[in-house]
Amino acid sequence: MIVTNEKHKFVSESLSGELKKHAKKFQEENEEYLQASIKNNTYDDAYTKLVSDAVLESYEVMNAWENISYNEIDGMTPIEYFSSLNTLSDIIDLFIAFEVENAGIIPNGLAKHLKDNADKFLDDLVSMLNSIELDEQKCIKFGQKAVIHAAEIIADEKLIDPLFNLVSQMENPKTDANTLTSVMNAIQAIGEPAVEKIVSTIDDSDKKGQIYRFLLVCLARIGAKNRSDNYYNLLKKYFKESEYKFIEANALGVYGDRKALPAIRGYIEKNAHKISKWEYTQLRQILLQFGGIVKDFDTYFSTVKDN
């Protein structure tokens, strides 16, 4: 997609340039260590910390960039430029520019301007969401993704129905992970007001495929921030009702309640004779996440052929 607004283009390309310089510096300073880690497949705690620190530093780079004046935007800083945008369509156009140049990384100042003026932009955002029609591939395009990203930032309950209208357009075989992730992130950001719609959509579905999986994880993530027996009992119910348990076990893992251990272990004990090694591997990861014992199961599955 071509960005036609020259100021938007400059702002997005300027940030992209700063982030690329930071990434290049990081790679040059840590080249030997990174190459050795990749070659030896040793992604230890030190590697994780190094990469995590680099990501945090990139946000510091972005925050510093937001406060530099540029002649190309009439001597304003990016933060001042963001504050000068008075229509949602102009903000969405800038979001698109950031989607093109920075893989959807939205500067804090722009997100704050949108959030602070949510009441002003909300009705227009609802209209934009309602006007989205997915193509034959049932996947979103740059402009549509920008609108959904704006919905994730504003995260108002008035956006629930328009977002679920998008969910209703998706098809399991066609819709890509990028589309699902964008829509589910927006729903998840709304939080508890969206739970009733999530549950009714799950209950009305065939409880199979990636849309079901994404909705279940979305429910689990909202629940993890708002712990209650209601969330745990819902997730456990879906686990008990399903034929293949790893999708639901993964959701229980995302929710993070160790009470799920007996249910998962009990399922494996009763059904070990018909569980495939692949399915056991998925369930095993959840057990380990909860600190569960897997040695007995490992011994059993090491002696049988995959079924």
Side-chain angles (χ1 to χ4, degrees), residues 271-303:
N271 300 278
H273 62 286
K274 61 182 180 181
I275 294 175
S276 70
K277 284 186 178 179
W278 181 86
E279 184 181 354
Y280 169 63
T281 299
Q282 310 307 306
L283 296 171
R284 181 181 187 275
Q285 292 176 355
I286 308 303
L287 291 177
L288 289 173
Q289 179 182 326
F290 288 137
I293 297 171
V294 298
K295 185 176 180 180
D296 52 341
F297 294 142
D298 285 350
T299 300
Y300 172 80
F301 281 96
S302 69
T303 63

Side-chain angles (χ1 to χ4, degrees), residues 216-221 223-225 227 231-232 235-236 239 245-261 263-264 282-291:
L216 208 56
V217 169
C218 188
L219 175 64
R221 286 176 175 164
K225 294 182 179 179
R227 287 293 183 88
Y231 287 106
Y232 174 72
L235 294 169
K236 186 178 178 181
F239 177 82
K245 308 288 187 181
F246 55 87
I247 291 176
E248 294 77 14
N250 178 62
L252 284 167
V254 170
Y255 181 67
D257 193 325
R258 293 187 81 254
K259 288 188 294 186
L261 263 175
I264 299 173
Q282 310 307 306
L283 296 171
R284 181 181 187 275
Q285 292 176 355
I286 308 303
L287 291 177
L288 289 173
Q289 179 182 326
F290 288 137

Side-chain angles (χ1 to χ4, degrees), residues 29-301:
E29 291 176 348
N30 300 281
E31 184 173 4
E32 290 186 10
Y33 178 75
L34 293 172
Q35 288 181 349
S37 296
I38 294 170
K39 181 180 179 180
N40 300 320
N41 197 30
T42 53
Y43 303 109
D44 53 14
D45 291 343
Y47 176 89
T48 301
K49 185 178 186 306
L50 180 66
V51 174
S52 297
D53 288 347
V55 172
L56 292 175
E57 288 170 6
S58 70
Y59 280 97
E60 292 176 4
V61 168
M62 182 163 58
N63 291 337
W65 165 84
E66 283 187 313
N67 291 285
I68 300 173
S69 299
Y70 292 98
N71 292 332
E72 291 84 352
I73 48 176
D74 301 327
M76 289 186 283
T77 65
I79 280 187
E80 291 169 337
Y81 181 66
F82 302 151
S83 297
S84 73
L85 304 178
N86 294 314
T87 66
L88 182 60
S89 60
D90 213 8
I91 292 172
I92 295 299
D93 285 345
L94 184 52
F95 269 47
I96 294 171
F98 282 118
E99 291 286 351
V100 172
E101 285 293 330
N102 299 291
I105 297 174
I106 302 299
N108 291 333
L110 180 56
K112 185 177 185 301
H113 174 60
L114 178 61
K115 185 74 172 177
D116 288 348
N117 293 277
D119 289 345
K120 175 181 177 181
F121 298 131
L122 184 57
D123 288 343
D124 286 341
L125 183 55
V126 169
S127 297
M128 286 184 178
L129 282 170
N130 282 331
S131 70
I132 292 178
E133 292 186 10
L134 300 183
D135 61 17
E136 291 183 359
Q137 297 304 312
K138 303 302 179 183
C139 298
I140 56 174
K141 301 174 182 177
F142 274 119
Q144 295 168 335
K145 185 176 182 180
V147 173
I148 295 167
H149 200 155
E152 179 185 347
I153 291 170
I154 288 182
D156 189 277
E157 59 187 278
K158 288 183 179 179
L159 304 171
I160 294 172
D161 286 341
L163 287 168
F164 274 90
N165 287 339
L166 284 175
V167 173
S168 70
Q169 295 183 49
M170 298 175 186
E171 293 181 8
N172 279 321
K174 293 183 177 181
T175 305
D176 61 16
N178 176 54
T179 297
L180 282 161
T181 300
S182 296
V183 175
M184 296 305 167
N185 283 349
I187 293 171
Q188 181 185 322
I190 294 171
E192 291 207 288
V195 167
E196 182 178 354
K197 189 70 173 180
I198 293 171
V199 172
S200 65
T201 304
I202 289 175
D203 289 343
D204 291 340
S205 74
D206 60 5
K207 297 183 176 64
K208 296 178 182 178
Q210 59 178 353
I211 294 174
Y212 168 63
R213 175 168 59 87
F214 271 77
L215 282 172
L216 208 56
V217 169
C218 188
L219 175 64
R221 286 176 175 164
I222 293 172
K225 294 182 179 179
N226 304 276
R227 287 293 183 88
S228 74
D229 288 342
N230 180 51
Y231 287 106
Y232 174 72
N233 291 334
L234 266 174
L235 294 169
K236 186 178 178 181
K237 175 176 81 78
Y238 293 133
F239 177 82
K240 286 185 173 181
E241 291 174 351
S242 68
E243 182 179 1
Y244 301 104
K245 308 288 187 181
F246 55 87
I247 291 176
E248 294 77 14
N250 178 62
L252 284 167
V254 170
Y255 181 67
D257 193 325
R258 293 187 81 254
K259 288 188 294 186
L261 263 175
I264 299 173
R265 279 194 59 89
Y267 168 72
I268 299 174
E269 288 170 354
K270 292 177 183 178
N271 300 278
H273 62 286
K274 61 182 180 181
I275 294 175
S276 70
K277 284 186 178 179
W278 181 86
E279 184 181 354
Y280 169 63
T281 299
Q282 310 307 306
L283 296 171
R284 181 181 187 275
Q285 292 176 355
I286 308 303
L287 291 177
L288 289 173
Q289 179 182 326
F290 288 137
I293 297 171
V294 298
K295 185 176 180 180
D296 52 341
F297 294 142
D298 285 350
T299 300
Y300 172 80
F301 281 96

